[in-house]
Amino acid sequence: MDYKTIKKSEITEFLDNLIKEYEIAAPIEKDDIVVFDKIKSSNGVILEYSNSVKSPKKFVIPQFETLISYNTNEDTTNVKEHLDEQKQFILFGARPCDARSFLFLDKVFSDEKNRDIYYKNRRDVVLIISLGCTQPQETCFCTTTGGGPFSSEGSDLLLVDIGDDYIIQVITDKGAELVKKLGLKNAQKDELAEMDRVIKKSEAKIEPDLELNNLKDKLDNSFDGSDWETLTEKCLSCGVCTYLCPTCHCFDIVDEEKNRKGERIRIWDSCQFPHFTMQASGFNPRPTYKERYRQRIMHKFSYCIDNYNMVGCVGCGRCISECPVNLDIRQVLTSLYYSMLSGRT
Amino acid sequence: MADLSSSIREEAKKLLKKGEADVIIGFEKGSLPLCATPCFIRNEADVEKLIWNEFCGNNLSRYLIKAKGKVGIIAKGCDTRAIVELIKEKQVQREQIVIIGVPCEGMVDRKQIMMRCQGNKITNVEDRDERLLITGDLLNVAVKKDECLYPGCQVCTNRNPVMYDVLIGSTSEEQQTDEFTDVTNFDGKSSEERWEYITHEISKCIRCYACRNACPLCYCKECFVDTTQPQWVGKTTGQTDTLLFHIMRSIHLAGRCVECGACERACPVTVDIRKLNRKMSADVKKLFDYKTGLDIDQPAPLSTFKPDDSEEFMLDI
């Protein structure tokens, strides 16, 4: 792997240069919270932050998007597909957990079996420059789900903060091409040693892994267990966890039509909402909070392994820090795991 | 804040032992610093989990409709106001619940403190009466609790339970604030300024419905916003759809909102949801001289007709 270096004081210039050629999204503070937003200049970009409240998935799966629009008259129907050409796009300053989430979304929307043209149209132009975590939070559990504070999976370039400079790890060809264009300096030996020290120090700060060997098998046997009910008793069945989650990707498609003109719109949906599974007959297979929360856990930690050979969670901790009732997914998993071990369910 | 946890545990134990309650809904220690979380206690042995501190912000009356059997509930002033409304609206039967009232001194907003900590990991929180001493790797901050209260708590005039079976501790001093200064100030702005403020707030909304689902009075079996046949409200986060959801919800809560602030606390993206609800409360006060959730026998103004009701909204034709 190639390692380049850039002074922190040069980051604004670096970004302003990129803005000339690329569309760029970066973490900024907006209305008292950190969010990823498209930027016009490096002003206001913050790199000393824990993580954004909303995940950056919106750049590849927007909360709502028009797929087609149409109009009809007596003899003809005109349909227009909304696949606008996308400008080259850089997601700058994303955390390694969020970068990994893009790999997961690729499996859902853009593998050999499933190819979602709207997703692919947006995703193909994305280059991710992520920023390793030197200050993991109490809600972080990326190491449990296969990542880490400096995991490079999903990133094209990864920045490591070593004090006055960033080391830039060159992960992919796409990343290498960009670095070449910018003519960055190679990192020196002492800088690489400092990078290793920073990485080790940060990894030690993450809460120890949940010990969840063979969690999937245990979950598969727990479907009818009695613990689900007590574990989800405080759940409000809102969509905070799913909408802030970088890997939750379920959607609804609606047609909005007036005077023979209409649009087909795709919108985020959530398995926590009762209407998500409401059938035309009026029957709902997931009528209560218990079934809906169980679905979220089973989907992430069992079905996703079956379907994509990857856990559907990157351990970013957003569902923990923002849950209105502090329903902590780590506690739920641990609790299920140990009650299953003792054969209580 | 005096430590009321042990008195709460004692009371809970008594109720469970005597069979006066099948379940106690209260708070236990949360999984994060500066955080308490709702819990459901059914065994005497588990009452030790119960705690009380300035992070017990959730309005637990939200859980009453779903609860089965006789329920003991830990309730602050605003929570009891919600219970009064739930009883009035025949969603909860008075004799099915035992209210363990706890005087409140305002609840502390964890996120405001987290902002002061600037993303540094908290390792220890020490309670020093009026202050919290927060320490971490790169952190040593003293925070005055009353400077970090939730916005709703800052203007609350019902810190003490309005209805209870048992009262824990001694009553809190009520704040003497002019209740609707914020509404009057907002009313004083031009319609363009108000529109800009409200539409900006609404633009942050992600339609997760945490506000609605945390609200003790939003209990409709099927919310208007979820209905698909017919579909009243579009599902996008475009301005029209989102604004319509918030305005309709707010009007549906007119004369029913107890201003507990549960909606605002639940919102992950800082939408000022109370702005609309406060205006409704101010209007209901002005038009009907009514404050929600104080008296179980006082009829709700919007479900009763009086010949001398204010009819300012009627058009002369």
Side-chain angles (χ1 to χ4, degrees):
Chain A
M1 190 194 295
D2 274 350
Y3 297 96
K4 302 287 176 185
T5 170
I6 185 171
K7 283 200 178 331
K8 275 190 180 168
S9 54
E10 290 167 359
I11 281 287
T12 48
E13 199 191 331
F14 172 81
L15 279 175
D16 288 328
N17 270 332
L18 291 176
I19 286 167
K20 289 177 198 154
E21 218 178 310
Y22 297 88
E23 191 127 48
I24 299 205
I28 55 165
E29 199 173 305
K30 201 172 168 185
D31 301 311
D32 297 334
I33 58 173
V34 176
V35 292
F36 280 93
D37 221 340
K38 291 194 175 165
I39 53 165
K40 294 269 177 287
S41 93
S42 59
N43 283 345
V45 172
I46 43 169
L47 294 177
E48 305 284 331
Y49 79 109
S50 48
N51 205 351
S52 60
V53 171
K54 294 189 266 184
S55 85
K57 71 177 172 188
K58 64 177 177 183
F59 298 113
V60 283
I61 37 173
Q63 184 149 11
F64 70 100
E65 65 180 324
T66 302
L67 303 179
I68 55 169
S69 54
Y70 55 88
N71 61 68
T72 56
N73 55 40
E74 256 115 69
D75 2 271
T76 55
T77 300
N78 298 309
V79 180
K80 186 177 167 256
E81 191 166 53
H82 286 249
L83 265 177
D84 302 332
E85 198 180 318
Q86 303 288 316
K87 205 176 162 187
Q88 290 298 311
F89 177 79
I90 293 180
L91 176 60
F92 182 81
R95 293 300 183 188
C97 52
D98 288 340
R100 276 190 87 225
S101 76
F102 282 76
L103 280 191
F104 174 80
L105 294 174
D106 287 347
K107 287 177 187 271
V108 178
F109 290 104
S110 179
D111 73 354
E112 287 127 29
K113 273 190 294 179
N114 313 304
R115 181 153 300 192
D116 184 299
I117 51 170
Y118 299 95
Y119 175 85
K120 208 166 159 8
N121 187 38
R122 288 198 166 82
R123 177 65 171 111
D124 281 347
V125 297
V126 177
L127 186 145
I128 301 175
I129 305 179
S130 57
L131 175 65
C133 299
T134 46
Q135 288 290 330
Q137 300 294 296
E138 41 273 288
T139 48
C140 293
F141 63 111
C142 55
T143 48
T144 301
T145 58
F150 291 89
S151 163
S152 60
E153 286 182 292
S155 303
D156 294 291
L157 298 171
L158 170 68
L159 303 187
V160 184
D161 181 345
I162 56 160
D164 292 335
D165 306 83
Y166 289 112
I167 301 282
I168 302 181
Q169 295 185 0
V170 184
I171 317 292
T172 62
D173 293 346
K174 219 170 164 180
E177 220 172 282
L178 181 75
V179 164
K180 199 171 153 196
K181 213 155 65 179
L182 295 168
L184 296 165
K185 280 187 300 188
N186 283 325
Q188 302 300 308
K189 240 185 183 163
D190 57 328
E191 290 173 323
L192 291 177
E194 179 60 13
M195 176 184 82
D196 288 339
R197 204 188 61 80
V198 166
I199 292 178
K200 282 210 181 77
K201 194 174 154 199
S202 171
E203 278 170 348
K205 279 188 202 165
I206 288 231
E207 301 285 329
D209 284 6
L210 303 174
E211 281 182 39
L212 303 174
N213 297 325
N214 306 323
L215 175 69
K216 179 184 156 38
D217 293 345
K218 297 205 166 63
L219 283 177
D220 290 345
N221 291 322
S222 79
F223 194 83
D224 295 316
S226 58
D227 280 23
W228 291 107
E229 189 136 1
T230 43
L231 285 171
T232 58
E233 202 164 13
K234 65 182 173 183
C235 179
L236 297 175
S237 202
C238 72
V240 166
C241 48
T242 49
Y243 279 6
L244 300 184
C245 174
T247 57
C248 274
H249 52 268
C250 289
F251 57 81
D252 187 15
I253 291 179
V254 296
D255 282 356
E256 290 196 353
E257 189 181 292
K258 197 181 177 188
N259 300 335
R260 296 182 153 192
K261 274 188 187 164
E263 288 186 337
R264 176 157 297 172
I265 308 170
R266 167 154 70 180
I267 308 169
W268 289 358
D269 203 349
S270 167
C271 56
Q272 301 307 295
F273 298 157
H275 278 67
F276 186 73
T277 44
M278 180 65 89
Q279 298 173 359
S281 65
F283 173 72
N284 192 345
R286 295 186 205 139
T288 73
Y289 298 9
K290 176 186 87 174
E291 292 90 8
R292 299 198 282 271
Y293 191 84
R294 178 177 64 195
Q295 166 61 22
R296 184 159 195 270
I297 298 285
M298 294 297 285
H299 192 186
K300 290 192 177 306
F301 296 94
S302 172
Y303 313 149
C304 280
I305 298 175
D306 291 334
N307 294 335
Y308 314 116
N309 201 23
M310 183 174 176
V311 174
C313 169
V314 291
C316 72
R318 287 184 177 89
C319 60
I320 303 169
S321 57
E322 297 300 330
C323 175
V325 294
N326 183 230
L327 180 54
D328 189 325
I329 194 168
R330 295 168 300 184
Q331 288 183 332
V332 172
L333 290 175
T334 311
S335 192
L336 282 167
Y337 186 80
Y338 286 104
S339 74
M340 285 181 279
L341 274 188
S342 62
R344 273 210 289 123
T345 57
Chain B
M1 186 180 278
D3 184 18
L4 304 176
S5 304
S6 51
S7 320
I8 288 175
R9 286 174 200 147
E10 233 166 80
E11 207 51 58
K13 198 167 190 170
K14 230 189 289 173
L15 292 174
L16 288 171
K17 193 172 196 158
K18 287 195 209 154
E20 287 172 17
D22 302 312
V23 58
I24 306 287
I25 309 179
F27 289 94
E28 64 179 323
K29 195 174 176 310
S31 71
L32 302 172
L34 314 167
C35 173
T37 182
C39 70
F40 300 77
I41 304 289
R42 294 189 168 82
N43 301 314
E44 279 177 58
D46 289 336
V47 298
E48 292 309 312
K49 287 185 189 167
L50 289 166
I51 59 157
W52 182 257
N53 60 31
E54 53 285 327
F55 298 108
C56 297
N58 296 98
N59 189 334
L60 300 178
S61 64
R62 167 75 215 176
Y63 297 113
L64 282 177
I65 293 178
K66 219 175 63 169
K68 295 181 190 105
K70 282 205 85 174
V71 184
I73 181 167
I74 313 295
K76 309 179 282 290
C78 53
D79 307 343
T80 57
R81 287 179 64 193
I83 297 172
V84 166
E85 287 305 308
L86 287 169
I87 293 170
K88 262 200 237 180
E89 296 183 7
K90 301 197 172 17
Q91 299 302 313
V92 171
Q93 287 174 299
R94 179 67 183 93
E95 51 284 5
Q96 283 294 308
I97 53 174
V98 183
I99 303 171
I100 306 165
V102 189
C104 174
E105 286 168 24
M107 287 293 148
V108 172
D109 183 354
R110 171 179 148 250
K111 286 180 188 167
Q112 283 187 42
I113 299 183
M114 298 293 279
M115 257 167 67
R116 292 194 192 192
C117 299
Q118 297 179 321
N120 289 305
K121 192 168 169 176
I122 298 166
T123 49
N124 193 36
V125 180
E126 217 175 295
D127 192 336
R128 297 251 179 102
D129 296 326
E130 286 168 10
R131 285 168 200 276
L132 293 168
L133 210 63
I134 296 159
T135 44
D137 283 355
L138 303 163
L139 204 62
N140 198 351
V141 207
V143 179
K144 266 189 93 179
K145 288 178 192 172
D146 61 6
E147 285 175 1
C148 290
L149 296 185
Y150 284 108
C153 299
Q154 289 169 20
V155 294
C156 166
T157 51
N158 290 93
R159 288 180 157 184
N160 294 299
V162 297
M163 179 176 68
Y164 53 83
D165 298 294
V166 191
L167 189 70
I168 303 286
S170 47
T171 52
S172 296
E173 198 182 325
E174 292 294 359
Q175 302 188 100
Q176 300 301 321
T177 55
D178 174 13
E179 269 186 277
F180 294 115
T181 314
D182 52 339
V183 178
T184 319
N185 289 344
F186 193 66
D187 279 349
K189 292 178 191 277
S190 70
S191 65
E192 288 81 14
E193 284 172 310
R194 294 199 306 262
W195 175 251
E196 195 183 321
Y197 182 85
I198 296 287
T199 50
H200 175 73
E201 288 305 309
I202 293 310
S203 72
K204 301 186 241 171
C205 177
I206 56 168
R207 301 278 299 259
C208 67
Y209 305 128
C211 49
R212 177 194 69 187
N213 290 17
C215 174
L217 271 305
C218 265
Y219 56 73
C220 290
K221 284 210 167 108
E222 186 174 51
C223 178
F224 70 90
V225 82
D226 290 330
T227 308
T228 49
Q229 288 176 329
Q231 186 173 332
W232 302 110
V233 187
K235 293 189 178 296
T236 76
T237 40
Q239 189 183 77
T240 310
D241 291 345
T242 314
L243 195 56
L244 194 57
F245 160 57
H246 284 285
I247 289 177
M248 279 179 69
R249 178 172 172 267
S250 156
I251 290 174
H252 197 185
L253 284 165
R256 305 172 61 239
C257 169
V258 296
E259 297 165 67
C260 64
C263 49
E264 197 168 60
R265 287 197 285 270
C267 179
V269 290
T270 71
V271 179
D272 183 2
I273 302 164
R274 280 174 59 254
K275 200 57 141 201
L276 293 170
N277 292 336
R278 291 280 291 164
K279 172 65 179 162
M280 287 297 128
S281 296
D283 281 357
V284 167
K285 176 78 185 160
K286 189 174 133 215
L287 295 170
F288 304 102
D289 192 25
Y290 177 86
K291 188 173 172 185
T292 313
L294 295 187
D295 180 356
I296 204 166
D297 296 318
Q298 196 181 6
L302 274 88
S303 26
T304 356
F305 172 73
K306 283 194 214 140
D308 58 347
D309 270 346
S310 171
E311 290 181 345
E312 280 176 39
F313 55 89
M314 296 291 269
L315 301 172
D316 289 324
I317 300 169

